[in-house]
Amino acid sequence: MRPSWCLALVAVAALMTGGLTACGGSGTAPRSGNAPASADGFTATLRAARGQTVRWWLYGGDEKVNAYVDNVVAPAARRLGVTIKRVPITDTADAVQRVVAERRAGKTSGGAVDLIWINGENFAAGKRARLWLMQWAAALPNARRYVDASDPSIARDFQVSVEGQESPWQRASFVYAHDSVKVPAPPRDLDALFAYAKAHPGRVTYPAPPDFTGSAFVRQVVSVKGENAAFAYLRRIKPYLYRGGVTYPKSEAELSALFGDGRVDFAMSYDSSFVGSAVRKGQFPASARPFLLGGEALQNTSYVTIPANAARAAGAKVVANLLLSPELQAAKLDPAVLGNPTVLDRGRLGTKRALFAAKRNSRYVLRDYGRTVAELPADRVASLEQRWTREVLRSP
Amino acid sequence: MSGALLRHPRVRNYARLAPAILTITLLFGGALAGAVRTSVLPLGQDATLATWRSLLHAPELGDAALFTLRTALISTLLAAAVAVAIALAVWRRGTWVRALLALAVPIPHLLVATVAVLWLAPGGLAERVLGALPITLVRDRAGLGVVLVYVYKEAPFLALLLLAAMGQGYREREEACAALGASASQRLRWVTWPTIRGPLVVGSIIVFAYVLGAFEVPLALGPSYPPTLAEYAFNATRGDLISGQSTAAATLLLTSVAAMLLAVLAVRLAKDPQGD
């Protein structure tokens, strides 16, 4: 019996440690600072980028973004000799984790991540840990030409100063969806949402933070009501939520599926054109429409950043610069493509402004996002998520 | 003298096992050491026990540990019971029954969990066909769906282990006892149980350790709260991108230690040759 139980123990150890290997191999490595790109150095960057394959890690759950990258960005990059390899991830934190793991392993160059679509706490955490290439974004030719670096919604990402470590790409607004046939008049604000949930128990829910979308909903409540009142509100509404608030959807996709199946009455997303995409996919009924709570919307800018140990930093810079070209920014305005407002400063566009004039309207995209609810500071996001777990999710 | 030592049966046993033990100690001991290091060395900071302190004071950890242990224990006991029932029912049959059982073993857990979600979730296929399900199996607070998936996955695995032990020798002993007039319950106690106890205990330990550390099934089917320990570790890396890895490493180390302790306990308890 002895050897066999010895083997059993060994097997247990093997099984248990299998899960640990991902965390092993730590090591802190000092990294040299990165020389700031010289102002006229972009031709050199373009030359260095030629022939490079840039591995761009980005959230892969948005088919319109994927199509935009594949059909609009990639061909333009190819003309500059740069190939884009899209690395689809379910959560931007995956990319940050990868860079952290490389950093722990002492890998200071040749990293597997060249470019990340990022903002908020993901960027801030990496900035604190000095993971990103420094002082490059403002030197991009298109950034100098078309971006208003003094605009606070560009210079500060979730109230964290960008400091040239990431280059703006998209603007997003947090919107809700309702079915205009079933619920012709959606709640106008958070209190109306509470009244609606109370009158229709089980028909309202939101994804559980730390999911990106659920976390944004909690931040909107906190921004509007103040932190303590917000948590009181979330606790009060909990029993009237889907399945009594015992369980929450784990992601925006899960909430959208519930809404599409008619099991809850509202969906929500930080992608302001998500209703149109879901209708096109057949997930939402054609009568689905976007709406705002309280006539205002959380708004943020998202960026691309380059890890300091990226193997193809030159190619990544070329792509970041390309993303700021008026042609590519204008292509995003079309709701059928992305339906996202531009990050460029219209006053600086000159003759290129004509590109932005022919903006098409869609009943699936709001024309106006009302008042802007500024995003909370990035370092508050994690503590809000933890408080939500403790005070809302955990409490019976 | 060394020759005498090598002839000692216990030493000889360990000597034979040495290559396996050495490999595993190097591979997994290294991983464990790495995890210990990660848990006390957050990125860019000096060595600190702060991670462990805040982990052990987190109320969620207790909830997660309790939920994980409960899920693992119930899954293992149910899977073992089902496996014994299957083995007793089919051990006389031919190889095709074993082949049928073996079919379930290589199916990935995640696939089973995903199919379970498709079928059993609110709004899933079963509900669309039947109108309404009497119980909630997906994202239920008790973790019932998780337990069911593990029982479905692990029972055939355990049954195959048991059937492997119930070969020709067992058949002869069983028939001899029957010929001598032993009742079915006597044969079960004196022939079957001693035959299957070894593989059952070892197999159950493997199942228990697997369920204790597994992650994808609760992620797909489990409740929003409490998480399993593996989910808790995963969430820690999401909540705090930089020092979350230290918390995750510490959590997984606790899980490993718990699994090993429980394995030792299980082996001790099952050591009596009579099985009681």
Side-chain angles (χ1 to χ4, degrees):
Chain A
M1 198 64 203
R2 280 238 153 207
S4 76
W5 85 257
C6 196
L7 269 182
L9 269 187
V10 158
V12 169
L15 278 167
M16 299 309 306
T17 48
L20 286 174
T21 45
C23 298
S26 65
T28 43
R31 272 177 321 116
S32 55
N34 297 283
S38 67
D40 56 344
F42 208 69
T43 29
T45 306
L46 277 170
R47 207 172 318 120
R50 211 154 253 292
Q52 287 190 339
T53 298
V54 172
R55 286 148 309 170
W56 183 2
W57 292 50
L58 73 171
Y59 172 68
D62 187 333
E63 282 158 33
K64 280 191 305 179
V65 173
N66 294 342
Y68 174 77
V69 172
D70 292 345
N71 305 331
V72 181
V73 185
R78 214 168 295 130
R79 284 193 283 278
L80 297 170
V82 176
T83 310
I84 292 179
K85 183 164 181 276
R86 203 158 46 72
V87 182
I89 45 183
T90 55
D91 191 325
T92 304
D94 291 337
V96 183
Q97 288 296 321
R98 176 61 184 260
V99 180
V100 167
E102 288 181 350
R103 172 80 181 279
R104 276 190 176 279
K107 193 166 185 172
T108 54
S109 62
V113 185
D114 298 318
L115 196 65
I116 310 175
W117 177 22
I118 199 166
N119 72 354
E121 173 60 10
N122 288 319
F123 171 74
K127 189 184 171 201
R128 277 197 300 278
R130 303 170 67 81
L131 295 180
W132 314 133
L133 199 62
M134 294 182 197
Q135 301 299 343
W136 59 273
L140 297 176
N142 283 334
R144 280 184 294 156
R145 223 170 288 152
Y146 303 118
V147 175
D148 178 4
S150 62
D151 177 352
S153 75
I154 298 274
R156 301 182 72 77
D157 174 2
F158 281 62
Q159 303 192 25
V160 171
S161 173
V162 165
E163 288 171 21
Q165 296 184 27
E166 57 178 356
S167 171
W169 181 37
Q170 310 239 57
R171 280 188 199 278
S173 302
F174 196 72
V175 298
Y176 298 80
H178 70 114
D179 184 335
S180 57
V181 171
K182 280 199 229 159
V183 187
R188 297 170 64 84
D189 55 26
L190 285 169
D191 293 327
L193 182 70
F194 177 77
Y196 186 94
K198 203 168 173 183
H200 308 86
R203 304 292 302 173
V204 174
T205 191
Y206 56 94
D211 169 72
F212 181 75
T213 306
S215 181
F217 172 74
V218 170
R219 289 199 301 276
Q220 181 168 7
V221 181
V222 168
S223 296
V224 172
K225 293 189 169 287
E227 187 168 332
N228 287 331
F231 279 98
Y233 173 90
L234 293 170
R235 278 194 300 271
R236 221 169 52 236
I237 200 172
K238 181 177 172 175
Y240 306 114
L241 294 179
Y242 174 69
R243 289 177 70 179
V246 167
T247 177
Y248 291 76
K250 284 202 173 175
S251 63
E252 180 187 318
E254 218 175 300
L255 175 63
S256 289
L258 288 174
F259 175 72
D261 283 347
R263 301 196 154 251
V264 297
D265 289 335
F266 310 111
M268 59 187 79
S269 176
Y270 226 135
D271 169 10
S272 47
S273 60
F274 85 114
V275 178
S277 333
V279 169
R280 262 192 301 282
K281 274 193 292 187
Q283 187 181 30
F284 289 2
S287 48
R289 294 286 181 278
F291 70 100
L292 301 177
L293 274 185
E296 57 194 0
L298 272 180
Q299 301 201 2
N300 74 40
T301 306
S302 57
Y303 304 74
V304 289
T305 189
I306 305 175
N309 69 350
R312 284 105 190 207
K317 282 181 197 167
V318 168
V319 174
N321 186 54
L322 201 54
L323 295 175
L324 290 174
S325 77
E327 288 76 14
L328 264 64
Q329 285 281 320
K332 290 194 312 172
L333 286 181
D334 185 347
V337 179
L338 275 178
N340 273 336
T342 180
V343 293
L344 304 184
D345 178 9
R346 280 170 190 260
R348 294 170 188 235
L349 286 169
T351 55
K352 302 273 189 189
R353 201 182 307 186
L355 289 171
F356 293 79
K359 185 187 166 188
R360 265 174 273 169
N361 284 323
S362 158
R363 59 200 156 149
Y364 298 124
V365 178
L366 293 170
R367 258 170 235 160
D368 178 25
Y369 295 106
R371 290 184 302 278
T372 298
V373 180
E375 272 293 1
L376 298 170
D379 55 1
R380 271 186 74 190
V381 174
S383 69
L384 283 180
E385 287 169 356
Q386 192 175 40
R387 182 165 178 192
W388 184 84
T389 304
R390 287 206 176 147
E391 295 185 15
V392 181
L393 183 59
R394 188 165 179 262
S395 73
Chain B
M1 166 146 177
S2 69
L5 195 64
L6 267 179
R7 272 196 295 279
H8 191 281
R10 188 182 286 187
V11 174
R12 214 167 46 209
N13 278 341
Y14 279 113
R16 283 180 188 151
L17 278 172
I21 292 176
L22 204 68
T23 313
I24 286 170
T25 311
L26 273 177
L27 277 178
F28 298 104
L32 282 171
V36 170
R37 199 178 155 194
T38 303
S39 73
V40 295
L41 258 182
L43 189 68
Q45 289 173 36
D46 294 328
T48 167
L49 286 176
T51 305
W52 283 95
R53 239 174 293 164
S54 67
L55 175 70
L56 296 175
H57 283 111
E60 294 90 349
L61 180 77
D63 294 350
L66 216 63
F67 178 67
T68 311
L69 282 177
R70 208 188 57 201
T71 310
L73 206 62
I74 296 176
S75 304
T76 310
L77 290 178
L78 279 180
V82 172
V84 170
I86 294 176
L88 288 178
V90 307
W91 70 274
R92 283 173 201 280
R93 322 232 161 183
T95 44
W96 63 270
V97 178
R98 284 160 210 236
L100 217 59
L101 276 173
L103 270 184
V105 174
I107 301 175
H109 284 78
L110 189 57
L111 184 67
V112 177
T114 312
V115 171
V117 170
L118 271 180
W119 271 92
L120 303 173
L125 296 174
E127 215 173 79
R128 282 174 202 206
V129 173
L130 301 171
L133 287 174
I135 43 167
T136 324
L137 291 172
V138 172
R139 301 239 180 286
D140 61 310
R141 196 128 199 183
L144 215 56
V146 179
V147 168
L148 278 183
V149 167
Y150 282 127
V151 170
Y152 170 80
K153 272 294 297 166
E154 310 308 343
F157 164 70
L158 288 175
L160 283 178
L161 283 185
L162 301 188
L163 287 173
M166 297 161 93
Q168 186 61 34
Y170 169 71
R171 181 184 294 263
E172 282 162 8
R173 289 199 299 279
E174 154 89 9
E175 277 162 7
C177 284
L180 290 170
S183 70
S185 69
Q186 280 172 323
R187 296 202 303 273
L188 194 68
R189 174 126 160 56
W190 298 104
V191 182
T192 309
W193 178 241
T195 307
I196 63 173
R197 197 194 58 236
L200 188 66
V201 169
V202 172
S204 296
I205 291 170
I206 292 174
V207 169
F208 183 82
Y210 184 84
V211 179
L212 205 61
F215 154 78
E216 68 272 43
V217 176
L219 194 70
L221 281 169
S224 296
Y225 195 88
T228 63
L229 284 167
E231 275 182 298
Y232 180 77
F234 174 74
N235 289 339
T237 67
R238 299 284 134 149
D240 187 333
L241 291 169
I242 305 303
S243 65
Q245 292 209 342
S246 301
T247 313
T251 310
L252 292 176
L253 277 171
L254 283 182
T255 318
S256 322
V257 170
M260 287 190 243
L261 285 180
L262 287 162
V264 171
L265 198 72
V267 169
R268 281 278 149 88
L269 286 179
K271 223 168 142 191
D272 182 24
Q274 299 302 330
D276 49 22

